[in-house]
Amino acid sequence: VSMLENRDSVSAKMKERLIQTTTDTGFVFPDSLATIPLHERGQIGIFMILGIGGDKSPNAELMRLAAQNAREQGFAAEMLEVDADLGSDYNAHMLNDMMKERMAKYSRIGFVAASKGAADLITYFYTYGPGVSAADREKVKFVISLSGVIRSSYIARFLVKSRNVEGILIRNFLRLTGRGELLDGIRSLAVDPWAGRDIGGVHSMFPSLRWISFASIPEAETAITDLSLWAGMLQSPAYQWL
């Protein structure tokens, strides 16, 4: 905290800034996105990536509304439609194909990734980042991770590796209901996306990148994050297995 306060004198006031701009919709801070001239906003690409569950996930509608709101403000915002059920290697390939044209089109680029989307994005950066031109890599300004899986998931490891009754039942249920592909996505979350890689590699490839990670998102009016049914049901057996 002291390092952040010394680096940026307004860091300690972020909460107050958020409260003020939320309660007073007419107030604009002089260093906010709202001050970017309208003709420049169309050159800023904001790309959103969903996680496990895709459009069926609880956050899908919220992220689509956020993209719509950003577009209404003049920004070039859109969802990157990867396959939520498949592995991060597959989705990284999809992201590479999607971003080739977009990298050249915009002057500044940012990503918003939820859940597994963060792991897909990390895999994309490491696998395909070296092939992106230095000029285009310089354009990548931020990543916002929303409860992103940025290390290996203990729940995922339990689901795909355990011989416990709960793990076996869920794996068989997914296969019998025709959702066996979802195991590919879960299996990729059981692997640390940084494993065997230089932690500083992303910053060296994308020198202007700033990463903002929200470990959890408060969903209820009490500002408490609700556990999903799966996470709540599997938490105890997964911890015991580990």
Side-chain angles (χ1 to χ4, degrees):
V1 171
S2 61
M3 288 176 64
L4 287 172
E5 288 176 345
N6 291 333
R7 181 174 179 176
D8 182 355
S9 61
V10 300
S11 292
K13 299 180 181 179
M14 180 60 74
K15 182 178 179 179
E16 287 75 11
R17 287 163 64 98
L18 288 173
I19 291 173
Q20 184 170 357
T21 54
T22 301
T23 55
D24 183 358
T25 56
F27 180 81
V28 177
F29 278 100
D31 57 351
S32 66
L33 289 174
T35 63
I36 298 176
L38 191 60
H39 69 276
E40 292 184 18
R41 297 183 192 183
Q43 286 297 307
I44 301 175
I46 303 172
F47 303 106
M48 301 190 177
I49 309 168
L50 293 174
I52 286 286
D55 274 332
K56 298 177 182 178
S57 66
N59 59 36
E61 182 179 359
L62 291 175
M63 290 186 70
R64 291 191 182 281
L65 287 172
Q68 178 182 330
N69 183 266
R71 287 193 297 272
E72 290 172 354
Q73 295 182 52
F75 297 98
E78 63 175 303
M79 304 294 298
L80 297 181
E81 305 290 348
V82 297
D83 193 320
D85 289 350
L86 294 182
S88 290
D89 287 338
Y90 182 89
N91 283 342
H93 180 74
M94 292 183 71
L95 289 173
N96 184 52
D97 287 344
M98 294 174 183
M99 289 306 300
K100 283 179 180 177
E101 180 180 348
R102 291 169 175 83
M103 282 283 191
K105 185 176 180 181
Y106 299 106
S107 62
R108 284 172 283 179
I109 290 170
F111 296 95
V112 180
S115 182
K116 177 177 170 288
D120 295 344
L121 188 61
I122 293 169
T123 305
Y124 160 69
F125 282 160
Y126 272 113
T127 307
Y128 299 100
V132 178
S133 70
D136 282 345
R137 281 188 268 124
E138 179 68 32
K139 297 177 182 179
V140 180
K141 303 300 183 183
F142 68 85
V143 169
I144 298 175
S145 167
L146 304 176
S147 296
V149 182
I150 56 176
R151 303 305 297 256
S152 61
S153 163
Y154 76 90
I155 292 288
R157 293 204 303 275
F158 175 79
L159 284 175
V160 299
K161 295 183 179 182
S162 80
R163 303 304 300 173
N164 293 38
V165 172
E166 295 90 347
I168 293 172
L169 285 175
I170 289 175
R171 290 196 294 270
N172 288 336
F173 173 77
L174 291 174
R175 294 186 182 107
L176 290 172
T177 55
R179 299 198 65 198
E181 280 190 340
L182 179 56
L183 289 172
D184 292 336
I186 296 173
R187 192 172 292 110
S188 71
L189 295 183
V191 179
D192 186 343
W194 307 100
R197 292 165 169 159
D198 175 17
I199 295 294
V202 169
H203 186 261
S204 63
M205 283 187 285
F206 301 90
S208 298
L209 172 63
R210 296 295 178 268
W211 191 295
I212 303 171
S213 187
F214 292 92
S216 62
I217 306 299
E219 299 158 336
E221 291 182 0
T222 54
I224 297 175
T225 298
D226 295 329
L227 281 174
S228 69
L229 174 63
W230 276 30
M233 178 181 68
L234 295 174
Q235 182 172 326
S236 293
Y239 272 130
Q240 292 169 3
W241 174 72
L242 288 175

